[in-house]
Amino acid sequence: MAAETKRFRYGDPIETDAVMVEIPVSAGDPAGLKVDPGAKTMSRKMSEETIVYGLGETVRGINKRGWLYKSFNADDPHHEEGKNSLYASQNFILLDDGTSCCGYYFDHPGAVYFDIGYTDIDMMTVSFDDMDLYVYEIEGDTPIEIVREFRRIIGPSYIPPKWAFGYGQSRWGYKTAGDIREVADKYDELDIPIDMVYMDIDYMTDFKVFTVDPEKFPNTKDFVSEMKERGIHVVPNTDPGVKIEPGYDVYEEGLKGGYFCKKEDGTELVAAVWPGKIHFPDFLNSDARRWFGDKYKRMTDLGIDGFWNDMNEPAIFYTDETLSGVYEGLDKLRNEEMDIWGFFKFKELMDSIDNNPEDYRRFYHDMDGKKIRHDKVHNLYSFNMTRAAGEAFKRNNPGQEILLFSRASFIGAHRYGGVWTGDNMSWWSHLLLNIKQMPSLNMTGFLYSGADTGGFGADTTEDLMMRWIEFSIFTPLFRNHSALGTREQELYRFKRTDDFRHLIELRYALIPYIYDAFVKAAKENDMYIRPMAFDYRSDPNCRDIEDQLLVGDSIMIAPVYEQNAKGRFVYLPEKMKFVRFRSVDDYDVEILNKGNHHIDLALNEVAVFILPGHSLPMAKPAKRVGEIDFENLKYIEG
Ligand code: GLC
């Protein structure tokens, strides 16, 4: 049976533009869901065997069972198990009990709650604040068929320029053209391949979006082209908030055009983010979207051809209203005796300043004539920022390939850009989380994705960086990024730079394979990175493997994610060729039979398993993606 989608309508859904294929609305309810309009829930029993895949970028495992997830894009740098929301809302889930499977997409722009065996260990219950939505039920014989059908209806995934598969160095803290140049120089001195250096918020004048500080970057155009001549792309950060500053043209234009989000009383919402007080562009309005999108041309006119859209949940540090509420609360507390309850109240007040749910209810969107309160469509904000940029690139830079990825996301944004998984920590557990997030992101169409390699917050260690790189070699987006104030983690800061060079060279040698597998997955609505159980569904031993992944058609990977581990256990569902790489030319191979094995992997060694009947193409090492010879490849046969 070919996979098939049915669409069901509840209430008065807001059109999200997540789904591109028009599917007639069926009568009744989805066959597999018990719908309770009174309770605003949709539920389904799970058997002991059922694996629940999906939800894109979230905490916890590939199998989502046993937790409560809330789709409500959140600016929260603490990606811990106890959290319910991260930056993304990708409401696609797939239930597989080993013999039958079924997929659901809940097309709703507001909060969606997934209780997957949390309240009742055998039940999955999806609930909504407003049950106005389309539900897509997808039936098919296998998980991969269901994913392909889902991806068909949501439209093709974004394909970035080839150079965006290179290695990128970033850090919140590079301030000047000199800082950026120095990073490139140091990589070149050590012969470590690199294609991108990122510019975090400090390149702007007072954090004003679409400005470049003329003192820190005296001649940006020349600087960008100087870097490009060296084969290096500079990729700036773009935040949505527009600084309130009379005379700043983006602010003046936005105000005049009525492009900012307004409160109930018709005045613009004033929130604070990096620039201080800002207004938020109303990306849900097509005129505002076009206006903001066109502003990227200022940057592309400078020769810039890559962007990372940030803070677009949108993150709110505070609004005037929350701030005065907090001050009032503090004044009250000041006059009370600070007992333990007073102390808790005090702390609660301080914690309520940023990303306060009340603030998301304070402003409205003009969805082309329809006034809608922000919280009802919260998850569409970043999608439409990414779309503003993507549509503008098509309009203003026809034929040019531009790198674009975002922090927050919603299905639909996958057509315009990729995502990175936000402010993770330099923790071993976050390397494992990265491994688990990748297949889920791929299911939902976000193929161009990756995490801050080495970890963003907290201090990294040389061994964590090395092991993380050994995984990121296989993620389409490969960026080393870290936070202000943390240990510097450019690869030249460490001792074993030869090992780092060998590992990055290995990535570059594998780019022909990675790029081909990626483009094929994008064109055929397939997954570039998959859980083992997708390809080896009939092997019961594969059903709960969450730390080995299939990459493209030809290889399986098994990264090391434990500190001080000198190897790891792997399960092979069939005979495979194990390649233990130390560098492009230095590796040993061993045929391993189906079954459990312990493999030794020194700190500088990467495990790749070639599937029988397949081979792994490898290019000669190159310093830039543009220098890779895609024609003359050597092949390691499986
Ligand atoms: C946010 C981003 C992070 C960036 C920082 C400063 O925390 O997620 O990547 O470095 O803002 O722009």
Side-chain angles (χ1 to χ4, degrees):
M1 168 185 100
E4 212 190 347
T5 307
K6 286 196 176 131
R7 174 160 77 136
F8 301 86
R9 184 190 162 108
Y10 294 91
D12 185 14
I14 293 169
E15 300 298 328
T16 65
D17 295 341
V19 174
M20 291 190 82
V21 175
E22 178 82 29
I23 292 161
V25 174
S26 299
D29 295 324
L33 293 179
K34 188 172 163 291
V35 180
D36 181 343
K40 299 181 191 162
T41 58
M42 301 187 178
S43 45
R44 184 180 165 123
K45 206 168 158 43
M46 300 182 292
S47 75
E48 199 85 341
E49 291 305 314
T50 311
I51 298 178
V52 182
Y53 297 102
L55 296 185
E57 178 192 306
T58 56
V59 292
R60 301 205 172 213
I62 293 177
N63 185 349
K64 311 313 296 184
R65 272 186 89 143
W67 192 236
L68 197 63
Y69 302 88
K70 178 181 175 186
S71 286
F72 197 76
N73 294 352
D75 161 38
D76 183 345
H78 302 283
H79 310 172
E80 290 142 12
E81 272 186 50
K83 291 297 164 74
N84 308 105
S85 309
L86 293 181
Y87 310 88
S89 294
Q90 292 136 350
N91 303 328
F92 173 59
I93 52 164
L94 197 161
L95 294 91
D96 179 26
D97 64 15
T99 47
S100 67
C101 50
C102 191
Y104 296 98
Y105 178 53
F106 300 92
D107 188 9
H108 183 66
V112 182
Y113 307 82
F114 292 87
D115 179 338
I116 310 179
Y118 173 80
T119 306
D120 174 339
I121 201 162
D122 301 313
M123 288 295 282
M124 177 194 80
T125 302
V126 185
S127 55
F128 315 88
D129 295 333
D130 311 293
M131 213 168 84
D132 297 310
L133 78 156
Y134 293 110
V135 179
Y136 294 81
E137 185 178 47
I138 308 177
E139 291 197 325
D141 289 334
T142 60
I144 196 70
E145 270 180 29
I146 291 176
V147 169
R148 284 193 197 119
E149 170 65 5
F150 174 60
R151 299 268 304 285
R152 181 185 75 83
I153 68 166
I154 61 171
S157 294
Y158 163 78
I159 301 179
K162 218 181 234 176
W163 54 261
F165 287 80
Y167 171 77
Q169 180 63 58
S170 183
R171 178 167 173 89
W172 176 12
Y174 302 154
K175 287 197 165 50
T176 62
D179 292 346
I180 305 278
R181 190 183 288 116
E182 187 184 318
V183 172
D185 288 349
K186 293 234 165 102
Y187 272 89
D188 282 354
E189 275 161 29
L190 286 174
D191 267 342
I192 302 179
I194 186 164
D195 270 76
M196 287 154 275
V197 182
Y198 288 78
M199 312 200 318
D200 207 328
I201 45 174
D202 294 301
Y203 75 86
M204 292 178 255
T205 308
D206 301 330
F207 307 123
K208 284 184 283 193
V209 63
F210 303 120
T211 65
V212 181
D213 189 316
E215 273 171 29
K216 298 184 211 155
F217 290 81
N219 195 336
T220 318
K221 204 169 178 176
D222 288 351
F223 172 67
V224 174
S225 74
E226 166 204 321
M227 294 299 280
K228 216 176 254 174
E229 263 159 40
R230 298 173 64 171
I232 291 184
H233 300 258
V234 291
V235 183
N237 163 301
T238 314
D239 288 339
V242 175
K243 186 173 174 68
I244 301 176
E245 187 186 277
Y248 164 39
D249 58 351
V250 181
Y251 162 73
E252 300 279 3
E253 277 176 30
L255 205 59
K256 199 160 151 235
Y259 299 139
F260 296 131
C261 292
K262 301 193 178 61
K263 294 186 289 190
E264 176 76 269
D265 66 5
T267 61
E268 281 78 12
L269 175 86
V270 177
V273 198
W274 302 120
K277 302 263 173 93
I278 55 101
H279 292 321
F280 283 123
D282 186 356
F283 296 121
L284 276 61
N285 176 279
S286 52
D287 293 335
R289 200 158 60 230
R290 193 183 173 94
W291 164 73
F292 192 89
D294 283 343
K295 293 281 161 286
Y296 283 87
K297 188 156 185 301
R298 291 192 180 175
M299 309 302 278
T300 55
D301 283 350
L302 296 171
I304 288 168
D305 52 6
F307 299 88
W308 48 306
N309 284 349
D310 198 355
M311 307 297 280
N312 50 10
E313 296 70 32
I316 298 180
F317 292 171
Y318 61 86
T319 59
D320 282 350
E321 289 85 351
T322 356
L323 199 61
S324 44
V326 170
Y327 284 139
E328 268 168 41
L330 288 178
D331 279 343
K332 257 194 231 150
L333 282 176
R334 196 198 300 271
N335 303 320
E336 285 170 23
E337 203 190 321
M338 182 75 96
D339 60 6
I340 191 67
W341 307 114
F343 168 70
F344 287 143
K345 259 198 234 157
F346 178 88
K347 280 196 63 150
E348 214 178 283
L349 268 173
M350 301 312 289
D351 287 345
S352 71
I353 298 180
D354 54 338
N355 306 318
N356 188 310
E358 206 40 61
D359 282 335
Y360 293 122
R361 288 192 281 268
R362 248 186 250 292
F363 63 104
Y364 291 77
H365 295 278
D366 171 4
M367 282 182 84
D368 295 346
K370 222 168 154 189
K371 183 174 165 184
I372 299 181
R373 205 174 69 192
H374 174 79
D375 61 310
K376 310 266 179 207
V377 286
H378 176 71
N379 296 332
L380 293 183
Y381 194 74
S382 57
F383 165 19
N384 285 285
M385 180 187 182
T386 304
R387 181 181 185 176
E391 285 175 347
F393 297 152
K394 284 214 177 80
R395 209 166 47 238
N396 301 328
N397 311 75
Q400 196 187 346
E401 287 183 308
I402 296 182
L403 168 63
L404 178 62
F405 61 91
S406 166
R407 189 168 75 175
S409 62
F410 185 80
I411 286 166
H414 72 286
R415 301 192 293 266
Y416 301 96
V419 289
W420 99 100
T421 57
D423 299 349
N424 60 5
M425 293 282 183
S426 298
W427 293 345
W428 291 86
S429 60
H430 277 184
L431 164 56
L432 180 58
L433 179 65
N434 183 196
I435 295 169
K436 295 180 180 196
Q437 284 174 329
M438 291 305 295
S440 310
L441 275 164
N442 268 244
M443 287 176 73
T444 58
F446 290 89
L447 298 186
Y448 190 74
S449 48
D452 285 348
T453 299
F456 175 77
D459 293 331
T460 202
T461 57
E462 183 157 356
D463 55 343
L464 176 59
M465 181 54 87
M466 190 98 60
R467 288 304 194 193
W468 208 315
I469 281 182
E470 290 164 12
F471 173 62
S472 297
I473 282 178
F474 303 97
T475 66
L477 167 60
F478 184 6
R479 180 176 76 146
N480 173 346
H481 180 51
S482 56
L484 197 67
T486 58
R487 178 182 187 176
E488 290 171 308
Q489 62 184 44
E490 294 80 7
L491 300 182
Y492 49 80
R493 308 273 180 199
F494 300 108
K495 187 171 173 201
R496 300 194 186 174
T497 46
D498 287 345
D499 289 340
F500 283 118
R501 179 186 325 105
H502 293 147
L503 291 170
I504 306 291
E505 281 176 350
L506 182 61
R507 158 70 171 217
Y508 277 64
L510 292 174
I511 284 179
Y513 175 74
I514 292 169
Y515 185 73
D516 254 33
F518 180 96
V519 172
K520 185 167 173 277
K523 295 215 159 130
E524 295 174 8
N525 297 324
D526 226 321
M527 290 168 69
Y528 162 78
I529 291 194
R530 301 176 305 287
M532 296 295 288
F534 272 37
D535 288 33
Y536 298 99
R537 189 162 172 246
S538 59
D539 183 338
N541 295 328
C542 283
R543 291 181 61 73
D544 48 15
I545 297 181
E546 300 222 346
D547 60 356
Q548 298 173 211
L549 296 169
L550 294 151
V551 178
D553 291 337
S554 307
I555 60 172
M556 179 187 88
I557 58 167
V560 174
Y561 52 86
E562 302 268 10
Q563 188 157 30
N564 300 318
K566 298 206 165 41
R568 54 162 290 168
F569 285 96
V570 285
Y571 173 72
L572 268 55
E574 58 182 324
K575 190 182 189 173
M576 291 182 190
K577 182 178 266 182
F578 165 40
V579 188
R580 187 193 284 110
F581 280 109
R582 281 168 294 275
S583 73
V584 177
D585 296 311
D586 180 15
Y587 55 87
D588 30 62
V589 296
E590 195 182 334
I591 301 288
L592 294 182
N593 285 323
K594 176 181 158 97
N596 290 306
H597 300 268
H598 185 274
I599 54 167
D600 295 334
L601 289 164
L603 187 56
N604 62 339
E605 291 179 329
V606 186
V608 175
F609 297 83
I610 305 176
L611 274 47
H614 290 261
S615 59
L616 182 64
M618 293 187 55
K620 287 208 187 72
K623 295 290 167 254
R624 308 278 186 259
V625 173
E627 291 166 11
I628 297 174
D629 179 354
F630 278 68
E631 301 303 317
N632 296 304
L633 306 172
K634 79 169 181 192
Y635 290 84
I636 307 180
E637 303 296 333

